[in-house]
Structure formats: C-alpha cells, structure tokens
Amino acid sequence: MILAAGVPAPGILASPDQPTLEDFGNDVWWIVLVKVVGVFAVLVLMTLFAIVFERKVVARMQQRSGPNRVGPRGSLQSLADGLKLAFKEDIMPAMADKPVYFLAPVLATVPAFLAFSVIPLGPVVSIFGERTPLQLTDAPIGVLIVLACSAMGIYGIVLGGWASGSTYPLLGSLRSAAQMVSYEIAMGLSIVAVFLYAGTMSTSEIVAAQADGNRLSFFGLEFTGPSWFAVLLPVSFVIYAIAVVGETNRAPFDLPEAESELVGGFHTEYSSLKFALFFLAEYINMVTVSALAATLFLGGWRAPWPLSIWDGANSGWWPLLWFFLKVCVALFVFIWLRGTLPRLRYDQFMRFGWKVLVPTALVWILVVATMRTVSREADLSTGEVAVFVGVPIALLVLLGLALASRIANRDTRVMAADAAAGGVHATDPEPEPEPEVLPPAGPRRRPAQRTGPARAEGGFPVPPMDLTVPPSPRLRRADRVAEPAGARRPEGGVVSSGRRGSTATSVQEDPDV
C-alpha cells in the first residue's frame, strides 16, 4: 500500500525481505568483496550476452542465421571477438597525446561499472549465514549517483576524440558530447515525477514504493490499481525510454559513429584493448540504463502479476530472475530499434531533444505536481483529481501542440493548395535565398593541362587538403636498410609503397586525389 503523500507504507519497509537504508554499510569485508566481484562479473557476462543477443535478434529480423559457429548455436561468439581484440596489434597515431589517449577509454569504462553499484538486484538474502541485501550500496540520493556516473563517461569520449590527433574523431567526440548532454537533461527531468510519487531518491525505497497496488477511488468506487510507475507515469516512462537511447549513442541515434560522415566517430583511431574498452562501456551503459528503467518504472526486482500471487516470488533468490528478465526485455527494445529505424539527421535529432523532449518533461512535472498538490490540499479522490485537473490540463496541452503544428506547417499547406489549384510545381510562395554552404573558391589546384573546375571551386565541401600523415617508423627503418651505400635521400615527404623493404620514393602529392 502507498500512502497519499507518496511515501512507502511502514509495513513495506518493515518487511524482513525489503532492504532499507539502515541495512547498508554494515556488511563484513568479505561480503563487500563478494558483491564487488559479483557486480563486475554480472556486467561482463551481460555484455557478452547482449552482443550475441543483438546479433541473433537482428539476424532474425533480416532472415539470416547470425552467429552459429563458435559455441553452442554461436553463443560464444562475443567471447571469441573479445579474445581477438585482445590479441590485435595496438596502433597509436603519431600525433596522439599519449597519456590522455590511454586514459580516455578507462575514463569511459570505470563510471559505467560504478553506476551499477546502487542498482537493487533483489531483497535481503542469506550468503553463508550473513543476511545482506542483493545490492552493493545505496544512498538517499542513489539515483543521482547513476546520473553523475553517466555524466562522467562523457569526458572519456571527448578526451578520446581530442587526444587522437585527428579531425574526424574530434568531430565525433564533440557531436557525442552535445548529444549525451542534451538527452541526459531530458532523462533527468523524466524521473523527477518518480521522485514526487515515491517521496525518495533511494533506489531500494523506490522499488518498495512499487511493492503493492495503489488504492484508487473513482467517485466512491474503491479498487486496487497498478503500482508500477510505468503505468502511473506513462509520459515519464516514454521520455526516459527515448532519452536513454540517445544518451547511449544507440541506433537510430548513433550519430557520433556515423560511418558515412565521421568514419567511425570518436574511437576511429583506437584499436585492440583500448577499442574494446569503449565497446565494453557502450554495452555496460545499455545494461545500466535498462536496469535503472526496471528499478524506476517496472517494479525493480519484484515479480510482475500474476507471478506476484505466489508468496515466495519476492523472497530468496527468485527476484534475481525477474529483474534480469526485465533487463533483457529492455535490451530487446534497444535491438529492435536498431533493426527497424534508420539513422536520424543530426539537426533533426538535436531539435527533437531540445524542442520536444525537454519542454514536454517540464510540462509533465508541473502536471504531476499540480495533481498531487490538489489531491492533498482539497482532499479529492484519485478519480476526481483526474477528471477536474488532469483532463483540462491534457486538453490544453493537446490544443497547444495542435496550434504549434499548424503554425509550423503553414508554408507546406500553402504550397499544397497552390499545387491543387493547378500549379505545375509546388513552389515556395516567398522564396528565400539559399544559404551559402559551399566553401569559397580557392586557387586552381589542378595542373594546367586538365580541364574542368577544381573541387575547391564548388560541387561539395571538401576537408582540408594540407593534412600530413607521418610515415610508419617500421617501414622507414626498412627503407633505410634497403638503400645502397652513399645514396642521397630525396627531399620532401616520404611516402612508402606499403611493402616491407621497398625503397621509399618522393611522390608529388596531388591535392585532388
């Protein structure tokens, strides 16, 4: 039962299986060590599972078999990929900032592990005779710890792109930082309504607030309603689901890794174990936000109905199964989106975050706060608040959205009306000059005998052509060994043929190649 003020009922927190804040910080050292190793092992195993699961599900959607060679039905394919990455050659760009280049993958991975420390996996259980919650730790601001850790991961991505000493990783890292910051704001606003309903920011107590059904009254009719915040706060749940896809750089919001624009994004210049750390951080973040969604909106480790009818469903080690089933469902949604939706354009994506998600979250917070204040001060039932407060606010919001859409689509309606009136082509009634998007015309860079305009004179934007790539030190050493005694090395840039032991020659660079 949930109290009117949104605070969990004393009977729930007094349950012997429901952990409270007083149950944390009292474990012996070896219990803490077991929990730390357990959380690490769970995240690594969930990463291996998520990779194979994603490849299998996408293959099923595309009517192909997917991984089927390594292990039973390809179940060990992700482990083989991890071992392959570990034994691949570790390449470092010559222009990289070496300390930051090494630190960036670690800075992206460690916060991803730390964020999972406040996620409740189950009730109080007995481990070798010691009673302890299935949660590493908790705090009165437990959810804010997850948000802080996810914010720290942005620094690893930005530093990784900056330290690579290359143009496209830097562009990808800046784009990723803007994307993650923007959608993290929407994600943080989406869970404010959960705090208002639960009356706490502690993850274990938020799970307790969803323990039993809510007693609802609709104009004198009493009944028990759902207690999951995904049902009570559907707008918050939808905003959270969209925001975490953008924050984790997953399709259709994987714009920092757009291979058509940025080669590979912020990790273009990474290889071997350092690339594996970025890869690991992405999937751990997927698991973490899925576990946080299960905690905040799907009842946490508690069994869903009708499994909750069984008395032992929410005690012992069974809640671990319900919790990870909910996490797997959330991971399936991630994969489903990747196999279904195309990638958005970057300006559309950022406009959607700032002009749709953030304002909607702010309006929803005001609606929830108003409804709870009116219910408490006016002593109205749930149904009366929904009818007299919720319905008018919903109508006002829908009217505002309809007016905004009509104003935004005015030019389209005018062109459609002109085309229906007999116009051959639908044209803009008030054409505006197109913005200058091409680079200014530069000096002619092609030899005089060639015909046609140079690329810098129009056609499409081109990257700077004066970038220099240092030769491979190993090939340069091999070239020196292959040179005859007394030979004079040509001046200019040394460009290798790509074969070991080949003599280096000076090649005149054609800027248009």
Side-chain angles (χ1 to χ4, degrees):
M1 178 180 178
I2 307 299
L3 297 180
V7 181
I12 296 175
L13 295 182
S15 173
D17 292 333
Q18 173 63 49
T20 62
L21 291 175
E22 288 76 15
D23 294 325
F24 297 96
N26 304 319
D27 294 329
V28 295
W29 66 269
W30 60 270
I31 288 288
V32 176
L33 182 61
V34 168
K35 288 184 179 182
V36 170
V37 175
V39 168
F40 179 82
V42 164
L43 289 177
V44 173
L45 292 177
M46 285 298 295
T47 299
L48 298 178
F49 165 78
I51 295 173
V52 174
F53 185 51
E54 178 174 12
R55 296 179 65 177
K56 282 286 188 181
V57 171
V58 173
R60 180 69 175 176
M61 292 179 177
Q62 299 173 351
Q63 296 184 354
R64 53 187 178 85
S65 59
N68 58 3
R69 297 290 182 182
V70 183
R73 302 180 65 86
S75 58
L76 299 180
Q77 182 64 53
S78 57
L79 179 61
D81 292 340
L83 294 176
K84 178 192 70 174
L85 280 175
F87 287 101
K88 292 188 75 171
E89 181 182 7
D90 190 6
I91 301 173
M92 175 177 289
M95 305 299 292
D97 189 321
K98 292 180 175 59
V100 182
Y101 183 82
F102 276 104
L103 181 63
V106 179
L107 196 58
T109 307
V110 171
F113 280 99
L114 292 178
F116 208 81
S117 60
V118 296
I119 300 296
L121 306 180
V124 176
V125 297
S126 177
I127 301 179
F128 301 111
E130 294 285 341
R131 297 279 295 177
T132 181
L134 281 178
Q135 182 177 352
L136 181 57
T137 187
D138 197 6
I141 54 171
V143 179
L144 299 185
I145 294 176
V146 180
L147 297 179
C149 291
S150 63
M152 285 296 298
I154 300 174
Y155 289 97
I157 292 177
V158 174
L159 292 178
W162 177 81
S164 297
S166 181
T167 304
Y168 289 114
L170 178 60
L171 294 176
S173 64
L174 295 178
R175 176 183 284 190
S176 179
Q179 170 179 330
M180 296 172 72
V181 169
S182 303
Y183 277 76
E184 188 177 2
I185 293 174
M187 185 183 74
L189 292 175
S190 68
I191 60 180
V192 172
V194 175
F195 300 155
L196 294 176
Y197 258 81
T200 179
M201 296 183 185
S202 167
T203 52
S204 60
E205 293 184 356
I206 290 176
V207 174
Q210 305 173 73
D212 295 335
N214 289 330
R215 298 296 301 174
L216 304 178
S217 60
F218 193 80
F219 294 99
L221 180 63
E222 298 285 341
F223 61 94
T224 301
S227 59
W228 286 7
F229 290 143
V231 180
L232 298 176
L233 304 169
V235 177
S236 294
F237 181 59
V238 172
I239 294 175
Y240 178 87
I242 297 174
V244 296
V245 177
E247 196 200 357
T248 53
N249 298 333
R250 293 284 304 178
F253 302 152
D254 57 338
L255 298 165
E257 304 170 15
E259 60 273 3
S260 59
E261 309 162 24
L262 300 175
V263 185
F266 59 90
H267 52 60
T268 300
E269 303 291 349
Y270 280 88
S271 61
S272 189
L273 283 177
K274 293 190 289 295
F275 172 77
L277 287 179
F278 277 124
F279 201 67
L280 181 67
E282 177 181 337
Y283 278 88
I284 290 178
N285 284 327
M286 284 177 55
V287 175
T288 301
V289 297
S290 300
L292 188 62
T295 301
L296 297 178
F297 297 100
L298 303 178
W301 45 264
R302 293 188 172 274
W305 188 88
L307 294 175
S308 57
I309 300 176
W310 173 36
D311 293 336
N314 293 322
S315 61
W317 295 88
W318 283 107
L320 272 178
L321 177 61
W322 321 136
F323 178 80
F324 283 110
L325 284 178
K326 296 175 184 178
V327 172
C328 290
V329 170
L331 291 176
F332 174 78
V333 174
F334 273 103
I335 300 166
W336 191 6
L337 294 175
R338 175 178 179 178
T340 305
L341 300 179
R343 180 183 293 129
L344 271 71
R345 210 171 63 213
Y346 186 71
D347 60 321
Q348 295 173 335
F349 171 65
M350 295 299 289
R351 185 185 303 114
F352 178 73
W354 283 106
K355 293 188 176 181
V356 178
L357 288 186
V358 173
T360 304
L362 291 172
V363 172
W364 176 246
I365 292 172
L366 294 177
V367 170
V368 172
T370 301
M371 294 180 65
R372 295 192 66 81
T373 303
V374 170
S375 176
R376 182 176 63 252
E377 299 296 334
D379 195 19
L380 298 178
S381 64
T382 307
E384 293 170 341
V385 172
V387 171
F388 298 128
V389 180
V391 172
I393 292 178
L395 292 177
L396 289 175
V397 171
L398 292 177
L399 181 61
L401 291 176
L403 291 176
S405 176
R406 185 172 180 82
I407 293 173
N409 297 327
R410 176 184 174 277
D411 294 340
T412 304
R413 293 198 314 275
V414 171
M415 288 188 289
D418 292 343
V424 180
H425 300 287
T427 57
D428 193 343
E430 297 179 1
E432 298 180 358
E434 296 184 359
E436 184 66 32
V437 295
L438 298 179
R444 190 177 182 86
R445 306 179 75 173
R446 288 177 180 267
Q449 64 270 18
R450 297 187 183 182
T451 60
R455 290 183 183 178
E457 297 176 4
F460 55 88
V462 294
M465 295 299 179
D466 56 350
L467 298 178
T468 58
V469 180
S472 170
R474 291 182 300 172
L475 295 180
R476 184 165 53 189
R477 286 196 298 268
D479 294 339
R480 289 175 179 174
V481 172
E483 288 180 355
R488 182 175 179 271
R489 295 178 61 83
E491 298 180 358
V494 178
V495 180
S496 173
S497 62
R499 298 180 180 178
R500 294 176 181 266
S502 62
T503 304
T505 58
S506 178
V507 180
Q508 182 67 32
E509 182 183 359
D510 187 354
D512 294 309
V513 176

